[in-house]
Amino acid sequence: MSADVTLEDVRQDAGLEETEEPLDLAPVQRIIESLGETKGMLIPVLQEVQKVYGYVPEEAADMVADLMGIYPSQVFGVLTFYTQFHLTPRGRHIIRACSGTACHVRGGKSVISKLEHMLGIGHGETTEDMFASFEKVACLGACGLAPVIMIDNDAHGQLDAVKTERIMENLREMDMMKRGE
Amino acid sequence: MKILTRNIDRPNPAHIDSYLVNEGYVALPRALNEMKPEEVIDEVKFSRLRGRGGAGFPAGMKWDFASRDRRKPKYIICNADEGEPGTFKDRVLIEKDPHAILEGMAIAGYAVGAEYGFIYIRGEYPVGARILERAIAEAEKRSFLGRNILNSGFNFHIVVHRGAGAYICGEETALIESLEGKRGQSRIRPPFPVNVGYSNLPTVVNNVETLASVAPIILRGGNWYANIGTHECPGTKLYSVSGHVRNPGVYELPMGVTLRELVFEHAGGMRENRTFKAAFPGGASSACLDESELDVRLDFNSLAAVGSMLGSGAVMVLDDTADMVKVAHVLIKFFEHESCGKCTPCREGLFWVRRVLDAILEGRGTEADLDLLLDVCEGIRSTSFCGLGEASINPVVSTIKKFRHEYMAYIRGQSLAESSMEEAS
Ligand SMILES: Cc1cc2nc3c(=O)[nH]c(=O)nc-3n(C[C@H](O)[C@H](O)[C@H](O)COP(=O)(O)O)c2cc1C
Ligand code: SF4
Ligand code: FES
């Protein structure tokens, strides 16, 4: 091994080192400054962190623990308790399909199969192009419109496989347009 | 009779001006200027209003307990977690009449001596959370909330807290843990939140619908309200009707309407060529009713008398296409997933109940499994730490009791597996 090859280089060549740029953690600090560091603000703080990064990166969670004076284990305890927190990167769109009873008995399964088929992924997964993450969730509180899905913040109801296909095609188009800009 | 839904059909119903048109924020100044806090509590006691979150506890009594505790500060928490599967009535109030909730909270705050309120809204309602925040800002601008409300000297501040996805956080002590920034796991009760609540201080937790009923009660008097509905369960109730009816939706009716009237006169009856098979009258955690029970009244006492419960008033209706074993399986999977993991009967018991149901559905079940299920369910019911575990087994137990033949069909390998409900849409 010649002198100008560092251990880092060896690691990188072997694929052992992340080559990605380090995460910009400045937003975490700003969030805590604006929301305050009382312990009761932990969940709102983590929700804002997730909004910034799309998920809660481990470094960000550690920083939250540090700045708020909470053990990292407590922060991870909270992160893993609530289903809406995610520790890995997620798609640009979050697609949640209701698997509750009212949706189930009104054909929810065909909507779910359609989504899984179109996206090519199952529950808790993200498409490779980061277009979307898919989740089957419990009752979304819109059972009058069963079967229901939520795309990001919007609920879509009274669906069947055909309507679902149309909605997903629109979403794909919008996503491509936005990315084209 | 429209009390809770009086405003929802107006144009732009969530806006403060729409609320003001119809006696909005008339009850609050009346309470502040003309009534002592005790008198407000008495009026709510006269109304005999019972909590709409599930347990049906008298609201006036709860407020009384909190007001007698001298420690300060005190808190009012509006429970907008609405997680019980099949329930979507609080959402209607949140999105269409947020000021009714805020006014009820401020009156509750005045009555018990609380200056702070939280609205804990489930994370799946992002639109509702924004509507509430906008409504709070509108109300503050016109001095219906904030410091020195309408020059009365009374301060009341409301903050919206978004849940992060956990059904158990609808349970009041788990909700408080969550508000404090922790995992949402239930606390032992007693002590009750009225004495040891948020930050271990006196706290009233009330459901959205309970709080939205308060301003009309102050305006028209407790006696007026007490004469609506049934004697033990006065007032109107928002019923969330879902499933195989022609017109699913939220219906406001006097408490005590029969299941038959709700389904056939209000929700449009069953779908064409289909017949009524069963209904879960109080959401996923209630025992189901069958056809012979269509004339049961949907109120706390009448449903308890037949071994079920009103819960949040989520009426899930099923027709002859429904496969009761699969329905029970879907429901138990929900509770298994939502078990907070704190106590063994619920955490482990629900896992095993689900496993036995898996086996039955896959044709590997035996008749003895049904007794095993009932036995395990009784263990869960009687030894769970909180209401989640306790009530979670109701759908399984009641479907085994009332639709045993459907379980037996799977066990004998004669289930009409293919004709199951997935096809019904
Ligand atoms: C597992 C579980 C979930 C609950 N979920 C809710 C809920 O989503 N909304 C609600 O208002 N009450 C819910 N409750 C009832 C609350 O614990 C509490 O009784 C209620 O908020 C009190 O308000 P009320 O007196 O106005 O009904 C739940 C209870 C249990 C055991
Ligand atoms: S009964 Fe279930 S939800 Fe309640 S404390 Fe026990 S494990 Fe948690
Ligand atoms: S069951 Fe799907 S929204 Fe309620």
Side-chain angles (χ1 to χ4, degrees):
Chain A
M1 195 187 281
S2 81
D4 40 304
V5 177
T6 65
L7 194 57
E8 298 273 279
D9 296 329
V10 177
R11 279 205 179 129
Q12 256 177 35
D13 284 346
L16 290 173
E17 194 96 312
E18 292 278 337
T19 46
E20 277 162 47
E21 287 176 26
L23 207 62
D24 174 14
L25 289 171
V28 178
Q29 187 141 14
R30 275 201 302 277
I31 288 166
I32 293 174
E33 273 162 17
S34 76
L35 290 176
E37 41 194 80
T38 47
K39 196 168 169 248
M41 291 314 283
L42 177 60
I43 292 171
V45 163
L46 293 172
Q47 286 168 331
E48 289 304 312
V49 169
Q50 178 153 296
K51 247 192 230 160
V52 171
Y53 300 97
Y55 70 112
V56 183
E58 198 174 325
E59 305 91 296
D62 284 335
M63 184 157 180
V64 167
D66 198 28
L67 292 177
M68 294 183 76
I70 307 174
Y71 291 114
S73 62
Q74 284 175 302
V75 174
F76 283 94
V78 163
L79 285 171
T80 52
F81 185 84
Y82 297 95
T83 53
Q84 283 170 14
F85 288 123
H86 298 277
L87 296 166
T88 48
R90 319 191 66 220
R92 293 184 293 281
H93 299 283
I94 311 298
I95 297 166
R96 300 189 235 187
C98 177
S99 58
T101 320
C103 288
H104 190 86
V105 301
R106 290 194 81 123
K109 230 180 181 162
S110 68
V111 171
I112 291 176
S113 326
K114 185 87 221 171
L115 287 170
E116 286 178 335
H117 181 76
M118 285 186 83
L119 292 165
I121 53 175
H123 170 72
E125 295 177 347
T126 300
T127 57
E128 231 163 75
D129 60 358
M130 300 306 275
F131 163 59
S133 297
F134 175 69
E135 288 165 11
K136 286 191 259 186
V137 296
C139 178
L140 286 164
C143 331
L145 301 174
V148 179
I149 65 174
M150 255 176 104
I151 298 183
D152 301 322
N153 284 341
D154 301 315
H156 301 260
Q158 294 177 321
L159 297 180
D160 53 29
V162 179
K163 284 192 205 161
T164 307
E165 181 157 7
R166 210 174 317 129
I167 290 172
M168 288 304 293
E169 278 165 1
N170 283 344
L171 182 70
R172 185 59 98 169
E173 258 170 51
M174 263 180 33
D175 183 70
M176 280 178 2
M177 263 161 51
K178 263 208 186 133
R179 310 236 313 144
E181 277 170 17
Chain B
M1 171 164 278
K2 292 198 164 188
I3 298 172
L4 293 158
T5 53
R6 64 192 182 281
N7 291 323
I8 66 173
D9 294 323
R10 284 169 199 286
N12 203 357
H15 194 275
I16 193 163
D17 288 328
S18 310
Y19 184 64
L20 288 168
V21 169
N22 199 2
E23 298 181 288
Y25 291 112
V26 173
L28 175 63
R30 181 172 303 171
L32 295 178
N33 299 329
E34 299 168 23
M35 298 167 84
K36 293 202 192 90
E38 307 84 79
E39 289 171 331
V40 174
I41 293 177
D42 282 342
E43 210 55 53
V44 176
K45 280 189 177 167
F46 291 146
S47 78
R48 297 199 309 276
L49 169 66
R50 294 174 63 175
R52 301 304 200 231
F57 192 81
M61 245 156 91
K62 193 182 276 187
W63 293 13
D64 198 11
F65 291 142
S67 81
R68 282 168 200 274
D69 198 314
R70 292 279 156 232
R71 289 172 313 134
K72 291 229 165 198
K74 300 181 190 180
Y75 299 92
I76 304 293
I77 296 177
C78 169
N79 189 341
D81 198 47
E82 188 153 76
E84 182 69 26
T87 317
F88 47 102
K89 49 138 189 131
D90 293 341
R91 179 190 205 127
V92 172
L93 294 175
I94 292 164
E95 293 184 2
K96 303 265 174 80
D97 206 5
H99 287 285
I101 304 166
L102 304 184
E103 187 172 8
M105 288 180 75
I107 294 171
Y110 174 69
V112 309
E115 292 202 353
Y116 301 98
F118 291 105
I119 302 177
Y120 188 101
I121 184 168
R122 68 182 296 200
E124 289 83 355
Y125 288 177
V127 174
R130 277 199 303 268
I131 290 174
L132 285 167
E133 281 170 342
R134 199 175 54 214
I136 291 169
E138 285 174 344
E140 282 172 350
K141 229 185 225 156
R142 311 216 187 171
S143 191
F144 296 126
L145 287 178
R147 289 196 63 76
N148 191 16
I149 293 174
L150 300 168
N151 281 321
S152 63
F154 171 62
N155 309 322
F156 194 70
H157 306 271
I158 300 180
V159 173
V160 175
H161 178 101
R162 291 161 171 79
Y167 165 69
I168 186 60
C169 291
E171 195 280 331
E172 55 186 19
T173 61
L175 184 156
I176 289 168
E177 289 282 298
S178 179
L179 265 185
E180 292 176 354
K182 302 180 219 156
R183 292 161 72 93
Q185 291 184 316
S186 314
R187 296 177 180 170
I188 191 104
R189 301 184 317 167
F192 292 98
V194 284
N195 300 117
V196 184
Y198 181 75
S199 288
N200 293 328
L201 287 157
T203 302
V204 166
V205 184
N206 272 140
N207 173 255
V208 167
E209 187 185 344
T210 314
L211 290 163
S213 305
V214 168
I217 288 172
I218 297 303
L219 219 51
R220 312 229 178 293
N223 286 328
W224 161 79
Y225 190 85
N227 280 314
I228 304 165
T230 72
H231 183 74
E232 289 83 14
C233 310
T236 57
K237 173 85 195 82
L238 296 182
Y239 294 97
S240 316
V241 186
S242 66
H244 290 145
V245 291
R246 239 182 268 245
N247 305 319
V250 173
Y251 295 91
E252 177 175 20
L253 294 164
M255 189 72 102
V257 62
T258 64
L259 177 59
R260 187 187 301 279
E261 183 185 333
L262 179 64
V263 170
F264 291 95
E265 287 177 34
H266 301 285
M270 307 306 290
R271 300 177 304 172
E272 208 159 324
N273 298 324
R274 294 290 171 205
T275 52
F276 176 94
K277 181 190 238 177
F280 290 87
S285 47
S286 62
C288 67
L289 304 180
D290 64 19
E291 206 195 331
S292 70
E293 292 164 302
L294 270 168
D295 291 308
V296 170
R297 292 186 180 282
L298 302 176
D299 62 59
F300 293 111
N301 298 43
S302 308
L303 281 165
V306 297
S308 185
M309 62 185 206
L310 178 64
S312 53
V315 183
M316 243 185 303
V317 183
L318 302 171
D319 68 20
D320 50 328
T321 62
D323 178 328
M324 298 308 283
V325 185
K326 285 195 178 164
V327 167
H329 188 248
V330 171
L331 293 174
I332 215 72
K333 271 204 308 204
F334 169 76
F335 290 115
E336 179 194 6
H337 183 258
E338 295 300 330
S339 168
C340 84
K342 178 170 180 144
C343 73
T344 322
C346 168
R347 185 187 63 233
E348 304 300 322
L350 289 173
F351 168 78
W352 285 106
V353 169
R354 199 259 306 152
R355 287 279 298 259
V356 175
L357 284 175
D358 284 347
I360 291 175
L361 280 169
E362 287 161 15
R364 295 183 284 113
T366 65
E367 189 163 5
D369 284 341
L370 298 184
D371 295 326
L372 176 67
L373 278 175
L374 291 176
D375 192 36
V376 175
C377 284
E378 178 51 24
I380 297 172
R381 188 197 65 75
S382 55
T383 59
S384 283
F385 183 81
C386 85
L388 188 151
E390 218 174 289
S392 65
I393 47 74
N394 286 328
V396 174
V397 172
S398 61
T399 51
I400 293 180
K401 286 196 178 140
K402 292 177 186 172
F403 297 94
R404 192 178 176 97
H405 55 280
E406 297 199 15
Y407 285 86
M408 287 310 294
Y410 274 104
I411 289 165
R412 297 210 183 96
Q414 319 159 324
S415 90
L416 311 167
E418 259 40 74
S419 78
S420 69
M421 56 198 174
E422 275 91 292
E423 287 176 345
S425 66

